[in-house]
Amino acid sequence: MGFADFASNVGITMLNNWLETRSYIVGYGPSQADVQSFKALKEAPDSKKFPHAARWYKHISSYESEFSSLPGDPSKAYTTYGPEKTETTLNPAKAPANEGVDDDEDVDLFASDDEEDAAAEKLKNERLEEYKKKKAGKDKPAAKSIVTLDVKPWDDETDMKKLEANTRAIEQDGLVWGGSKLVAVGFGIKKLQINLVIEDEKVSLDDLQEKIAEDEDHVQSTDV
């Protein structure tokens, strides 16, 4: 049961026949079954001899950077997938005569151009739908910015520890406070220089600066 060794034409013929009506080894999307089968091939199948296998190989190669994250069991060998029976039809020119097999059961590995074009168009449409579904269901990584904010006090008598505590007390989804230090600005006055990371879609710097400025007893102004 399953595919034969892909090192032989028999194995690749089985793969080609299997993929004649399928886009993937199993199911309707790429999985570890495709990954293990892909890795078992030493090179891309000959597109003239094995058009369906070659088309599949090219498609699966586009997922190579995502192999480890594809669903399925990576420990299963590729030979566990494929047809339940291992019988396959080799190149008709090399097949033994009088095998007692009905010609209608043979698989034509050399389909006409029209048939190949139709199959290619069908596969193209399937891939397009899969791509749309994948993009629609995949969360986009949040865009983040690293910001250094200057918070200036009124004078040299301002309690800078209290100023910083009030600033850090501002909590908001998408806002992470980082390191800070006091920087001298002259006349004995020091400003608070504090780092933060924000998610651009969730945090507005203008709104954040307004919230900091609400601490009127300590904050004179803020600058980015």
Side-chain angles (χ1 to χ4, degrees), residues 61-77:
S61 68
S62 66
Y63 290 96
E64 203 158 359
S65 63
E66 303 174 41
F67 275 3
S68 61
S69 62
L70 293 179
D73 184 356
S75 66
K76 290 181 67 174

Side-chain angles (χ1 to χ4, degrees), residues 17-37:
N17 293 349
W18 182 254
L19 293 168
E20 183 176 10
T21 58
R22 298 172 176 84
S23 298
Y24 302 98
I25 300 298
V26 295
Y28 299 96
S31 68
Q32 291 300 320
D34 297 284
V35 173
Q36 300 310 313
S37 300

Side-chain angles (χ1 to χ4, degrees), residues 4-215:
D5 189 348
F6 287 166
S8 67
N9 279 341
V10 173
I12 301 180
T13 299
M14 289 178 65
L15 176 67
N16 188 71
N17 293 349
W18 182 254
L19 293 168
E20 183 176 10
T21 58
R22 298 172 176 84
S23 298
Y24 302 98
I25 300 298
V26 295
Y28 299 96
S31 68
Q32 291 300 320
D34 297 284
V35 173
Q36 300 310 313
S37 300
F38 179 92
K39 289 182 177 179
L41 290 163
K42 294 182 179 179
E43 59 185 1
D46 188 324
S47 60
K48 292 183 179 180
K49 293 182 179 179
F50 311 109
H52 309 300
R55 194 179 304 122
W56 165 85
Y57 186 94
K58 183 177 181 181
H59 176 49
I60 296 303
S61 68
S62 66
Y63 290 96
E64 203 158 359
S65 63
E66 303 174 41
F67 275 3
S68 61
S69 62
L70 293 179
D73 184 356
S75 66
K76 290 181 67 174
Y78 73 94
T79 51
T80 60
Y81 304 105
E84 293 184 2
K85 295 183 179 181
T86 57
E87 291 130 353
T88 184
T89 301
L90 299 177
N91 188 329
K94 298 180 180 180
N98 302 322
E99 281 190 316
V101 179
D102 191 335
D103 289 342
D104 291 339
E105 295 180 1
D106 291 344
V107 177
D108 181 8
L109 299 181
F110 303 95
S112 68
D113 290 342
D114 290 341
E115 290 174 343
E116 287 189 17
D117 289 344
E121 184 64 25
K122 178 182 178 182
L123 186 59
K124 176 182 176 182
N125 292 333
E126 289 176 354
R127 290 176 184 171
L128 183 59
E129 288 302 315
E130 289 159 7
Y131 176 81
K132 289 179 179 178
K133 290 179 182 178
K134 182 179 178 182
K135 287 298 181 184
K138 194 171 183 179
D139 293 333
K140 294 181 179 178
K144 297 182 179 181
S145 298
I146 300 175
V147 180
T148 298
L149 191 65
D150 289 342
V151 185
K152 299 176 182 178
W154 287 105
D155 51 40
D156 60 343
E157 296 182 357
T158 300
D159 186 341
M160 296 304 292
K161 290 185 178 180
K162 184 64 176 176
L163 182 150
E164 180 174 355
N166 291 345
T167 299
R168 290 184 180 275
I170 299 173
E171 296 182 351
Q172 184 176 345
D173 185 26
L175 168 64
V176 178
W177 294 106
S180 64
K181 62 181 179 180
L182 296 179
V183 179
V185 294
F187 304 103
I189 300 174
K190 294 182 179 180
K191 66 181 179 180
L192 172 68
Q193 194 169 81
I194 186 167
N195 297 321
L196 56 145
V197 178
I198 61 171
E199 290 187 25
D200 296 340
E201 292 186 358
K202 295 180 179 180
V203 180
S204 165
L205 273 179
D206 290 338
D207 292 344
L208 179 59
Q209 287 178 269
E210 287 181 8
K211 290 180 181 180
I212 296 173
E214 290 176 3
D215 182 16

